[in-house]
Amino acid sequence: MTAKAKVTRFRAYQLGNPGSSFSYFDGSDFTLIEARLTDTNKLTVSDELRLCGLATISTLHITSWDQDHCVPSQLAQIIENLKPRRIEYPGYDPKTDSGKQCLKIIEDHKRLKSITATSVVRITPDYINSLDKAKDYGYRDVLYHPRSIDPDSSNNNSTSKQFRTGSFNVLSLGDVSSQIASGLRTYRSVKHEVDIMILAHHGAANGFTTSAFIKHPKPTIAIATADYQNQFEHPKQEIRDLLYKNDVRLFTTKTGDVVAFSTGTHVGHYRIVNLKAGSTEISSSYDFQSKKLSFLSQFLDNIRAKVSRSNKGPKG
């Protein structure tokens, strides 16, 4: 396989309050990550869609039922106004009233599937196990978790997925905690393919993001979502320190959206910028090369040798 020309964009949005919102565009499909649509990011999501030449989203991907990931009224707006063709939602049963309302909204929408032509998928362990084994350095997304349901911890049931259909890859970790880290870091696609990593639990020091974990994916970029007032002080200083120690550049949404977009021939070079709040003015800009391009540019025999060493991995 050779590197493909894929116009690719990733954006981390300011929300104006605690929570997360991201998007990933691979040249044709636009995925909105988390069901959050506030007065702050409603316009910027629309702007991002316009930049991608779209009016609606391809997929809504929700990692958790917690309110910082999914709000009932905002979920309803996304379904009605952004009209996702596919909805991927958590595979565990919500325990909060808010989570239960969100699930009901999705189930009610699912009953209208024949009208809206929307695919609605619950990301359960059985669903992940039904998928084909992930192939190395491909252009198909990979689902890693949940591989089992923890009845005592909703965080441990959060969905983890690597978006890799574009020219650079983004690892979404949701709210997973320390128990998941040791298994996740063994996957070859995590160890060698992550360009941008969305920090677990918004960058909280919950035991997941450790030096032992960071040394495996070795992401080029780490993203943490935080509002300007930063009520929960994300990411924690100890997380900032270990990222610096491991040469991972940190970007946050504290002062504005973070945008990554492919450049040149769109086969693996990308630029990441931090925008100033409420504007398109750039406060900082850096250029990088995706790991995918580095690997696929090697001689074919070397690629085959590396791929054959490990066939163990998650589902894609």
Side-chain angles (χ1 to χ4, degrees):
M1 177 183 290
T2 58
K4 298 179 180 180
K6 305 271 284 185
V7 175
T8 307
R9 292 181 63 90
F10 166 79
R11 188 163 185 159
Y13 300 89
Q14 274 196 322
L15 286 174
N17 52 52
S20 294
S21 175
F22 311 95
S23 62
Y24 184 83
F25 174 68
D26 66 1
S28 57
D29 291 328
F30 186 106
T31 298
L32 184 65
I33 305 169
E34 310 301 9
R36 297 299 313 275
L37 199 64
T38 67
D39 290 340
T40 300
N41 80 322
K42 189 178 297 183
L43 291 177
T44 47
V45 169
S46 295
D47 286 344
E48 187 67 15
L49 279 166
R50 178 182 53 79
L51 289 169
C52 297
L54 300 170
T56 59
I57 66 177
S58 308
T59 301
L60 172 62
H61 174 81
I62 307 168
T63 67
S64 168
W65 290 124
D66 290 351
Q67 273 198 293
D68 49 353
H69 298 264
C70 188
V71 173
S73 60
Q74 296 172 20
L75 169 62
Q77 286 184 58
I78 291 169
I79 291 174
E80 180 178 357
N81 298 329
L82 299 183
K83 297 177 171 52
R85 298 195 303 271
R86 177 181 174 88
I87 299 175
E88 298 175 348
Y89 64 104
Y92 68 97
D93 293 328
K95 296 181 180 179
T96 64
D97 288 341
S98 173
K100 291 174 182 177
Q101 290 176 47
C102 287
L103 177 58
K104 184 178 186 304
I105 289 170
I106 292 173
E107 289 178 337
D108 288 347
H109 179 66
K110 188 175 183 179
R111 281 193 282 272
L112 300 175
K113 185 172 70 169
S114 59
I115 299 174
T116 62
T118 298
S119 177
V120 182
V121 179
R122 193 169 192 178
I123 308 300
T124 64
D126 286 343
Y127 175 75
I128 292 178
N129 289 332
S130 73
L131 300 175
D132 296 333
K133 184 177 292 185
K135 295 182 179 180
D136 297 312
Y137 287 95
Y139 288 87
R140 292 184 63 187
D141 294 339
V142 181
L143 279 164
Y144 301 102
H145 196 73
R147 300 307 293 266
S148 61
I149 297 296
D150 184 340
D152 301 317
S153 173
S154 59
N155 285 345
N156 283 341
N157 300 324
S158 188
T159 303
S160 298
K161 181 175 182 177
Q162 186 167 180
F163 296 88
R164 55 179 202 158
T165 54
S167 57
F168 58 84
N169 294 3
V170 176
L171 177 63
S172 167
L173 294 167
D175 278 347
V176 290
S177 55
S178 58
Q179 294 94 319
I180 311 303
S182 58
L184 194 60
R185 71 190 190 191
T186 63
Y187 295 136
R188 197 216 54 76
S189 54
V190 171
K191 290 173 67 175
H192 301 297
E193 298 185 35
V194 178
D195 297 306
I196 298 172
M197 185 176 79
I198 300 171
L199 289 171
H201 216 292
H202 320 283
N206 68 343
F208 180 91
T209 307
T210 62
S211 285
F213 179 79
I214 289 293
K215 288 179 186 299
H216 287 267
K218 295 180 181 177
T220 305
I221 304 296
I223 302 287
T225 51
D227 61 309
Y228 183 74
Q229 294 180 343
N230 204 2
Q231 176 183 358
F232 299 104
E233 299 180 352
H234 291 156
K236 298 294 186 180
Q237 188 59 48
E238 63 189 270
I239 302 298
R240 293 174 179 269
D241 292 343
L242 75 86
L243 292 172
Y244 178 80
K245 179 181 177 181
N246 287 281
D247 197 29
V248 178
R249 190 179 290 273
L250 172 67
F251 288 83
T252 80
T253 58
K254 179 177 171 62
T255 58
D257 289 5
V258 180
V259 184
F261 53 92
S262 58
T263 59
T265 56
H266 305 288
V267 295
H269 294 96
Y270 63 99
R271 180 170 298 156
I272 188 162
V273 301
N274 221 145
L275 301 178
K276 293 184 179 181
S279 77
T280 58
E281 188 177 351
I282 296 172
S283 62
S284 60
S285 175
Y286 304 89
D287 291 311
F288 302 97
Q289 178 177 300
S290 72
K291 296 179 181 180
K292 183 182 297 182
L293 176 61
S294 301
F295 186 84
L296 295 177
S297 297
Q298 298 177 40
F299 291 110
L300 185 58
D301 287 345
N302 290 340
I303 294 175
R304 287 172 177 161
K306 285 189 177 183
V307 170
S308 65
R309 288 182 197 140
S310 173
N311 212 18
K312 175 186 176 183
K315 304 291 185 174

